[in-house]
Amino acid sequence: MHPVVKPALRRGWRDLNTVQFGMTPAHALTLGPVDTATGSFLELLNGTRGPALLREEGRRMDLPEGHVDQVVERLARAGLLDDSRGGGPEAEALREKKEVLDRLRPDLASLSLTTSAPGDAIRHLVARRALRVRVKGAGRVGAVLSCLLSGAGVGEIDVRDGGRVEPWDVAPGGLPAEAVGDRRDESARRVVRRAAPGRPSRRRPTTPPDEGDPGFSLVVVAPRDDVAVHAPDPATAEPLMASGTPHLYVGVVEGTGVVGPLVLPGETGCAGCLHADRTDRDPAWPRLVAQWRSGGQRQVRPCDLTLATAVAGLAAAHALAFLDGRTPSSVGERWEVSLPGLRWRTRTVRAHPACPCGAAAKGEPEHTPEDGDRRATMAGQWPSAEVRREAVTARSAGTWRAHV
């Protein structure tokens, strides 16, 4: 290992003997007491030296025998160290693609904050490049979201939609003005390719037409139809439920942005659960939905540009969290924000006993965005047991402590 103190964390001295790594409460840790020699040694943890050279430097600085290894081990346990050469052969291959990695460096630095073990951040980044995501919908929300996922390093983004690009589909970061009149899905795929920082060298199979294909790690449902955003049709999700494909709902309806739920088929509340719950609370709900779906459609639906962009960004963040193996707060929840107040709130989507998805019989798993990990696989399924990231707070003889 070539240890490097995570550069994403700013460093500052709280006093002469206590150093703080990080500024925000979510990630900040303090180290103390730190003598002058150890403080100087921390500057050498910049990724250019291996263990042998670090020990040699420690001897030159008159550090006690074994002190260098002890400092490195404790920093690693606290989640403060990365490995400048870690991640395995695929990570090394990515490092050789300098232009690609330079595009992804901010994302890599961010991943270093949410991973603990040295080398984990670049392993996550490499893993993204092998994933396949389908986005159903290429409007103001879907197209921008697709580009964000592509730009963040997801290997394949397959966008599906019908019709041709209309002037009101155009959005910064999404479909460009010159695409007006072109096929909407083809235009979206072009901008997705332009957003990609690079692609894996291996060749992937042609994307099959079935939207329930289990080869997708995630399907994002981003309809341009506002009724489909407000009242997702359980019938359209049947192929996804049958194949066990995780899927995330997102969109804008009448000045309200919606992100979620992220459905884990058979485990968490789905579109059918949402419909059944609303029917329980409002017997007129099915009648209203039927009228909304069959009534005359407006040519242009309300979709504020800034709201759509904010929704696309949050949805992309939730999607990436899931793809990176975590459980975002949209699992079993709908995040909503409305103009003009713009206050985000959550609405729980509980598994309903009347829904054929079966999630209610199993019982929904407890999850929190801070400590819950769940890994999406290339087969579009996940292990039944959650993989929980160990909360690292190193306490050795009162020397290491988390900063609150």
Side-chain angles (χ1 to χ4, degrees):
M1 182 174 77
H2 284 61
V4 53
V5 176
K6 292 181 177 179
L9 296 170
R10 287 188 177 272
R11 191 186 314 177
W13 290 86
R14 299 180 63 81
D15 53 45
L16 292 177
N17 299 304
T18 309
V19 60
Q20 176 174 318
F21 298 90
M23 298 184 290
T24 63
H27 302 291
L29 290 170
T30 58
L31 165 62
V34 178
D35 57 48
T36 302
T38 301
S40 299
F41 173 76
L42 293 178
E43 301 297 329
L44 303 180
L45 298 176
N46 56 16
T48 62
R49 301 171 178 83
L53 188 54
L54 286 173
R55 294 187 193 103
E56 182 180 339
E57 295 286 355
R59 286 191 289 270
R60 291 177 182 173
M61 300 170 71
D62 294 327
L63 292 175
E65 189 69 27
H67 186 69
V68 167
D69 290 341
Q70 187 179 51
V71 169
V72 170
E73 179 186 352
R74 290 177 176 173
L75 284 170
R77 277 191 301 162
L80 293 173
L81 281 189
D82 208 344
D83 182 359
S84 66
R85 299 187 184 180
E90 291 183 329
E92 189 59 32
L94 178 58
R95 291 190 187 96
E96 293 176 359
K97 300 176 181 178
K98 186 177 182 304
E99 292 184 359
V100 174
L101 186 56
D102 284 348
R103 282 274 303 274
L104 293 168
R105 285 193 186 282
D107 305 273
L108 179 62
S110 181
L111 281 168
S112 75
L113 298 176
T114 57
T115 55
S116 296
D120 270 359
I122 197 164
R123 274 191 286 267
H124 277 72
L125 199 61
V126 168
R128 285 183 183 179
R129 291 166 60 78
L131 298 177
R132 303 173 64 227
V133 174
R134 171 167 283 173
V135 179
K136 294 181 59 182
R140 281 187 162 188
V141 174
V144 172
L145 182 150
S146 300
C147 290
L148 290 173
L149 293 179
S150 180
V154 177
E156 180 180 341
I157 308 295
D158 180 61
V159 187
R160 294 299 174 99
D161 206 341
R164 298 188 177 274
V165 177
E166 302 288 353
W168 46 85
D169 292 322
V170 173
L175 297 176
E178 57 268 24
V180 172
D182 295 343
R183 285 176 54 93
R184 189 178 279 110
D185 54 357
E186 291 181 357
S187 299
R189 290 169 192 160
R190 282 198 297 269
V191 297
V192 163
R193 286 194 293 270
R194 286 199 291 267
R199 297 203 176 270
S201 57
R202 71 180 184 86
R203 184 177 179 181
R204 284 194 292 286
T206 303
T207 301
D210 179 13
E211 66 188 33
D213 170 37
F216 289 108
S217 298
L218 178 69
V219 171
V220 181
V221 184
R224 291 176 291 111
D225 175 32
D226 50 0
V227 177
V229 174
H230 187 56
D233 186 354
T236 63
E238 287 178 357
L240 300 173
M241 298 295 291
S243 64
T245 305
H247 47 286
L248 171 67
Y249 292 95
V250 56
V252 172
V253 50
E254 294 182 351
T256 296
V258 177
V259 177
L262 198 166
V263 180
L264 309 180
E267 289 193 16
T268 65
C270 64
C273 296
L274 179 63
H275 179 79
D277 179 67
R278 283 172 163 173
T279 301
D280 287 347
R281 292 185 286 109
D282 181 5
W285 175 257
R287 186 181 308 116
L288 289 170
V289 172
Q291 293 174 70
W292 294 334
R293 288 175 180 162
S294 62
Q297 297 186 0
R298 297 185 301 273
Q299 183 182 24
V300 180
R301 299 169 182 84
C303 187
D304 181 88
L305 180 61
T306 56
L307 178 62
T309 304
V311 168
L314 182 64
H318 280 251
L320 285 173
F322 177 75
L323 294 170
D324 288 339
R326 295 175 175 79
T327 304
S329 58
S330 55
V331 172
E333 304 276 350
R334 273 168 65 103
W335 281 90
E336 297 180 359
V337 61
S338 299
L339 298 172
L342 297 173
R343 293 183 179 88
W344 285 98
R345 60 187 181 277
T346 59
R347 299 185 186 277
T348 301
V349 181
R350 301 190 185 282
H352 197 281
C355 182
C357 72
K362 291 185 177 181
E364 295 187 71
E366 294 293 327
H367 68 275
T368 62
E370 291 79 16
D371 65 3
D373 285 356
R374 187 186 300 275
R375 299 204 175 273
T377 70
M378 288 300 291
Q381 299 177 353
W382 52 88
S384 57
E386 293 190 355
V387 181
R388 295 194 175 275
R389 184 163 58 97
E390 180 181 1
V392 181
T393 303
R395 297 184 180 91
S396 177
T399 302
W400 302 77
R401 59 187 179 274
H403 174 62
V404 179

